[in-house]
Amino acid sequence: METSTIFQMMGTTGSLIMCASSIPQIVKTYRMKCADNLSGSYLAILMLGMTLILLYALHVKDIVFIMGNSISLTLTAILIALRRKYSTSVRQSET
């Protein structure tokens, strides 16, 4: 097996693991209907970083990073939506 194939497989596996890392938090937030402990600053910085990496990956045409960051951005957006829906501190500041 070629070295580049091994590294592409490692990159793909790493991207999938990174994507999967947010799923337990999404499930917990949805089940508990509570997002008070989720940091809005963390989520905003994470989205910014992933967006910049995605833009770079699009520029260099790296399919592993494009797919991984696209999935991660989608999952993080779901988490932000759940935070907006279930966080009492967010709801109180909007009223």
Side-chain angles (χ1 to χ4, degrees), residues 1-89:
M1 190 177 298
E2 278 189 46
T3 304
S4 62
T5 304
I6 292 170
F7 278 104
Q8 185 149 13
M9 288 172 43
M10 286 172 43
T12 302
T13 303
S15 288
L16 290 173
I17 290 169
M18 291 297 293
C19 293
S21 70
S22 61
I23 293 173
Q25 186 65 56
I26 291 170
V27 170
K28 180 180 179 182
T29 302
Y30 179 75
R31 283 185 181 161
M32 304 278 297
K33 307 283 190 255
C34 179
D36 292 331
N37 292 328
L38 291 177
S39 169
S41 300
Y42 166 74
L43 293 171
I45 292 167
L46 182 62
M47 280 290 271
L48 176 61
M50 285 190 292
T51 300
L52 292 173
I53 292 170
L54 178 59
L55 292 173
Y56 172 76
L58 289 167
H59 174 72
V60 299
K61 298 173 178 61
D62 187 325
I63 192 70
V64 171
F65 279 108
I66 291 170
M67 294 306 295
N69 278 291
S70 296
I71 294 168
S72 290
L73 276 167
T74 301
L75 293 172
T76 303
I78 291 169
L79 198 51
I80 289 170
L82 289 172
R83 182 179 184 272
R84 289 196 51 82
K85 182 174 183 176
Y86 296 127
S87 179
T88 56
S89 60

